[in-house]
């Protein structure tokens, strides 16, 4: 029975990989294949080989500054300490950094570190090591854009270092969940693994992780040795997890590579800053009018995203995760999906059914027909589902929408050019569906700041063609706000971009999963910055 089930799973994986529309024009990227599948149909899954193992992919880096493969990142989470950790409410948990403070304008920060921490070679962790690590992160692709106004870091004593910013940010500490490596051990060469201070370290041939004898309480770690496996294709990875040769995986249910998991697994979800949103081309026929953009705030059934992702998303019209203490719940309630409100706002601004044909028109000398061109990238069934539900809902109030599903390359070109190529015709892009990973302080700069190719074209993803400089000022006021005024300042920012100018239509945030075999691991407390957070306090029973 087990072999039959496994064969079905492998055939399912093969069928999905062959039938992926994805963002066509790209090859399957093995760092995006599923890390596991359903467990065996037993009440409790035991580790078949009676050892604890994680998967890896040697085709990708194990350097924590640049590691993008999910399996390799899990290994890095055990070898390298983060400076601080961020919980699922996006609040800071002290780690190697114990305390912090900043000046009034948030441009100079002082961090105090735990001087008892040591690297796996026995050397103490010093402020110089954290300054070095921060400098390496800033120049690495994995953290690109996170510290856009960073000016430098320097030690200021045996247990402190300072960070200077060009533009103040009173929430900088929320961005400091960065890996720590020993000064001078960073190298871009393939296979190089810097020295870390985490609970585990590599053995000589990098096939195992052993308890770091210099880590606090290392004798009480849940396992002394973690074995590193290498499964680099979908079928082998699925089979390995099915047979319990891999014990922990992380899954992104919104990814086209997600296969789902059986009930015999234990699935723990955690919050992320991966935000789904819609933006409107403010140079398009209707997009230039704020009333139209505001009307669209009420036009999206955000709860449908949760449904499409089987609860692995949280719907919200606010560009901040709802568990954050500064989240404006009252404003969120006022912006809920409501087709009557949407139509009333449109009609109040002159978008009406002038010729009694059941469809809305707008006046430009005479009634003009409306057909909104809505662009999405064909990499996700969830995005497509939300877009087509929007099209259906708009048709019910008399507004015509055409959804254009494009390959990744064509999608990027449409956003950059502001037009959609359909055969020999170029159609004006009216709106687009996008996804981005915000920072833990929910800074909206990159998606709302005016895009100037020569200045910020590398990190800026605002293709709405907005020139509203006041948005940048509102963002900066939020980033400069102190603890007492931050909630009210964020409310003003969120209200401005939603109900005043309609610059951003937030759909919701993804949640991801850490998955283990039933009954094997206890004490899991995953978060987006570190799915293996608190691993030293896990209980692992391999039978």
């Amino acid at each position: 029975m087990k072999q039959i089930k496994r064969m079905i799973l492998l055939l399912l994986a093969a069928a999905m990989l062959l039938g992926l529309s994805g963002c066509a024009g790209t090859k399957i990227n093995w760092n995006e294949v599923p890390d596991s599948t359903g467990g065996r149909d037993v009440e409790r899954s035991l580790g078949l080989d009676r050892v604890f193992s994680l998967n890896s992919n040697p085709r990708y880096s194990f350097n924590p500054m640049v590691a993008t493969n999910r399996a390799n990142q899990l290994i890095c989470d055990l070898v390298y300490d983060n400076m601080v950790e961020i919980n699922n409410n996006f609040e800071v948990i002290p780690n190697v950094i114990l305390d912090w403070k900043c000046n009034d304008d948030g441009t100079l920060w002082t961090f105090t570190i735990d001087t008892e921490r040591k690297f796996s070679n026995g050397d103490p962790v010093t402020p110089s090591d954290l300054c070095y690590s921060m400098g390496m992160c800033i120049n690495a692709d994995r953290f690109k854009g996170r510290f856009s106004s960073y000016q430098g870091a320097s030690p200021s004593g045996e247990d402190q270092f300072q960070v200077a910013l060009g533009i103040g940010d009173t929430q900088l500490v929320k961005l400091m969940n960065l890996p720590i490596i020993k000064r001078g051990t960073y190298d871009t060469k393939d296979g190089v693994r810097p020295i870390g201070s985490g609970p585990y370290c590599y053995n000589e041939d990098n096939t195992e992780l052993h308890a770091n004898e210099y880590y606090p309480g290392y004798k009480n770690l849940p396992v002394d040795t973690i074995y590193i496996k290498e499964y680099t294709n979908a079928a082998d990875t699925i089979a390995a997890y099915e047979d319990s040769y891999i014990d922990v995986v992380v899954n992104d249910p919104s990814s086209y590579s997600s296969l789902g998991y059986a009930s015999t697994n234990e699935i723990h979800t955690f919050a992320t800053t991966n935000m789904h949103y819609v933006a409107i081309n403010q140079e398009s026929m209707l997009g230039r009018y704020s009333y139209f953009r505001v009307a669209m705030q009420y036009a999206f059934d955000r709860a449908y995203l949760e449904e499409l992702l089987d609860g692995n998303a949280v719907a919200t019209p606010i560009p901040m995760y709802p568990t954050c203490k500064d989240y404006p719940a009252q404003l969120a309630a006022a912006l809920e999906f409501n087709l009557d409100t949407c139509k009333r706002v449109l009609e109040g601004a002159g978008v009406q059914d002038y010729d009694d044909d059941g469809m809305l028109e707008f006046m430009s000398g005479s009634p003009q027909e409306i057909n909104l061109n809505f662009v999405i990238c064909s990499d996700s069934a969830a995005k497509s589902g939300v877009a087509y539900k929007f099209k259906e809902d708009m048709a019910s109030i008399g507004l015509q929408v055409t959804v254009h599903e494009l390959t990744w390359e064509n999608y990027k070109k449409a956003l950059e050019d502001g037009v959609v190529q359909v055969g020999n015709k170029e159609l004006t892009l009216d709106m687009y569906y996008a996804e981005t990973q915000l920072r833990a302080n929910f800074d909206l700069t990159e998606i709302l700041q005016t895009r100037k190719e020569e200045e910020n074209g590398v990190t800026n993803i605002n293709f709405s063609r907005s020139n509203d400089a006041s948005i940048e000022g509102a963002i900066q006021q939020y980033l400069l706000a102190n603890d007492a005024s931050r909630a009210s300042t964020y409310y003003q920012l969120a209200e401005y971009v939603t109900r005043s100018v309609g610059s951003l239509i937030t759909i919701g945030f993804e949640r991801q999963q850490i998955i283990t075999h039933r009954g094997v691991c206890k004490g899991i407390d995953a978060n987006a910055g570190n799915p293996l957070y608190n691993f030293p306090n896990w209980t692992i029973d391999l039978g």
Side-chain angles (χ1 to χ4, degrees):
M1 182 69 181
K2 174 181 156 186
Q3 293 299 323
I4 293 174
K5 180 184 175 189
R6 187 166 121 186
M7 182 61 69
I8 292 172
L9 288 164
L10 296 182
L11 290 173
L12 174 61
M16 287 191 68
L17 291 175
L18 288 172
L20 290 174
S21 59
C23 282
T26 61
K27 296 180 180 179
I28 293 299
N29 192 341
W30 288 115
N31 72 320
E32 295 179 346
V33 299
D35 288 332
S36 73
T37 186
R40 290 168 289 161
D41 292 329
V42 293
E43 290 187 2
R44 182 179 182 279
S45 277
L46 296 177
L48 188 64
D49 52 5
R50 299 299 191 268
V51 298
F52 189 83
S53 303
L54 295 176
N55 193 26
S56 68
N57 193 326
R59 301 178 187 180
Y60 297 91
S61 177
F62 289 85
N63 188 323
M65 308 304 184
V66 297
T68 56
N69 174 266
R70 285 181 296 172
N72 293 2
Q73 284 179 349
L74 279 185
I75 293 172
C76 288
D77 288 339
L78 296 177
V79 176
Y80 304 97
D81 271 319
N82 283 336
M83 297 183 186
V84 298
E85 300 285 2
I86 303 294
N87 66 20
N88 283 304
N89 295 325
F90 298 95
E91 295 297 324
V92 179
I93 305 171
N95 192 29
V96 177
I97 291 178
L98 299 176
D99 195 16
W100 51 88
K101 60 183 179 180
C102 67
N103 60 359
D104 290 342
D105 64 3
T107 57
L108 183 64
W109 282 77
T110 301
F111 297 97
T112 302
I113 73 167
D114 181 357
T115 56
E116 299 299 315
R117 296 296 182 98
K118 292 184 178 181
F119 289 105
S120 59
N121 68 348
D123 290 344
V125 176
T126 69
S128 293
D129 293 308
L130 272 74
C131 292
Y132 175 80
S133 299
M134 190 171 183
M136 294 300 101
C137 286
I138 286 168
N139 293 318
D141 287 346
R142 184 179 176 189
F143 302 101
K144 183 179 292 183
R146 183 181 286 203
F147 301 98
S148 56
S149 71
Y150 171 81
Q151 292 186 333
S154 60
S156 59
E158 293 184 357
D159 65 344
Q160 290 186 334
F161 70 101
Q162 292 186 322
V163 174
L165 303 177
I167 301 175
D169 181 0
T170 58
Q171 298 184 73
L172 173 68
V173 66
K174 291 185 177 181
L175 310 182
M176 300 290 285
N177 56 333
L178 304 170
I180 301 169
I181 63 175
K182 181 172 172 55
R183 183 174 182 176
T185 62
Y186 181 92
D187 199 314
T188 57
K189 296 177 182 178
D190 291 339
V192 172
R193 292 166 169 81
I195 297 175
S197 60
Y200 291 86
C201 56
Y202 293 101
N203 66 344
E204 289 185 2
D205 61 1
N206 301 317
T207 59
E208 301 171 4
L209 297 182
H210 293 175
N212 173 9
E213 63 178 304
Y214 299 102
Y215 189 81
Y218 83 97
K219 291 183 178 180
N220 298 318
L221 292 173
V223 289
D224 293 328
T225 301
I226 297 172
Y227 294 85
I228 300 175
K229 304 295 180 68
E230 294 182 359
Y231 300 104
T232 58
N233 65 64
D236 289 346
T237 302
I238 290 168
Y241 185 80
E242 172 67 10
D243 289 336
S244 295
Y245 288 120
I246 302 171
D247 295 292
V248 175
V249 292
V250 172
N251 180 55
D252 178 0
S254 70
S255 169
Y256 65 77
S257 61
S258 175
L259 293 181
Y261 300 88
S263 60
T264 51
N265 290 302
E266 291 184 356
I267 301 176
H268 300 261
T269 60
F270 54 88
T272 77
T273 58
N274 296 351
M275 185 176 77
H276 289 227
Y277 67 98
V278 173
I280 296 173
N281 179 5
Q282 297 188 23
E283 293 180 354
S284 66
M285 182 175 62
L286 284 178
R288 69 189 66 184
Y289 301 112
S290 61
Y291 69 80
F292 169 74
R293 302 193 299 269
V294 171
M296 292 298 100
Q297 295 287 340
Y298 306 97
F300 285 87
D301 186 358
R302 299 172 175 90
Y304 194 49
L305 177 65
E306 292 185 1
E307 182 179 338
L308 290 168
L309 291 178
D310 295 322
N312 291 295
V314 55
T316 175
I318 304 297
M320 176 180 279
Y321 203 88
T323 59
C324 295
K325 69 176 183 179
D326 297 324
Y327 181 79
Q330 184 178 359
L331 178 61
L335 292 168
E336 288 183 351
F337 170 62
N338 191 313
L339 291 178
D340 290 337
T341 301
C342 177
K343 188 175 183 179
R344 186 166 61 251
V345 174
L346 290 171
E347 289 179 338
V351 178
Q352 302 178 21
D353 182 6
Y354 290 98
D355 54 9
D356 296 323
D357 64 349
M359 303 301 294
L360 301 178
E361 295 89 26
F362 77 100
M363 291 297 296
S364 181
S366 61
Q368 304 293 314
E369 299 293 331
I370 299 172
N371 184 9
L372 300 176
N373 292 302
F374 188 15
V375 168
I376 63 173
C377 180
S378 57
D379 66 344
S380 165
K383 295 175 186 175
S384 298
V386 172
Y388 282 106
K389 177 67 162 58
F390 167 73
K391 174 182 178 178
E392 178 183 325
D393 289 333
M394 290 301 93
S396 73
I397 65 172
L399 200 60
Q400 185 176 351
V401 176
T402 299
V403 176
H404 302 272
E405 292 194 66
L406 305 179
T407 66
W408 174 240
E409 292 302 323
N410 288 339
Y411 171 81
K412 289 194 299 182
K413 181 173 175 54
L415 267 55
E416 290 167 356
D417 297 345
V419 296
V420 188
Q421 192 74 37
V422 179
N424 295 325
K425 293 183 178 180
E426 284 190 346
L427 305 176
T428 300
L429 180 153
D430 292 293
M431 37 199 328
Y432 60 92
Y433 194 118
E435 175 187 351
T436 191
Q437 184 178 55
L438 294 178
R439 304 168 191 166
N441 61 355
F442 296 92
D443 181 4
L444 299 175
T445 299
E446 276 69 38
I447 59 175
L448 291 180
Q449 185 182 51
T450 300
R451 190 169 193 268
K452 299 174 182 177
E453 189 67 37
E454 67 281 3
E455 295 180 9
N456 58 12
V458 175
T459 58
N460 189 283
I461 54 173
N462 178 11
F463 297 96
S464 70
R465 288 156 176 81
S466 166
N467 292 308
D468 188 352
S470 60
I471 290 180
E472 297 177 31
I475 293 173
Q476 192 56 43
Q477 287 300 311
Y478 161 64
L479 294 177
L480 287 174
N482 58 31
D483 291 344
S485 63
R486 188 170 296 123
S488 61
T489 305
Y490 183 79
Y491 186 101
Q492 294 170 13
L493 168 62
E495 184 175 48
Y496 184 74
V497 300
T498 56
R499 291 206 291 193
S500 295
V501 295
S503 302
L504 181 67
I505 303 169
T506 303
I507 305 299
F509 289 88
E510 297 174 3
R511 295 196 294 178
Q512 294 186 1
Q513 303 168 330
I514 182 169
I515 303 174
T516 62
H517 298 296
R518 178 171 293 176
V520 173
C521 301
K522 295 181 180 179
I524 294 173
D525 189 15
N527 59 63
N530 185 358
L532 298 183
Y533 169 68
N534 203 36
F535 186 86
N537 293 319
W538 283 21
T539 299
I540 297 177
D541 181 4
L542 298 169

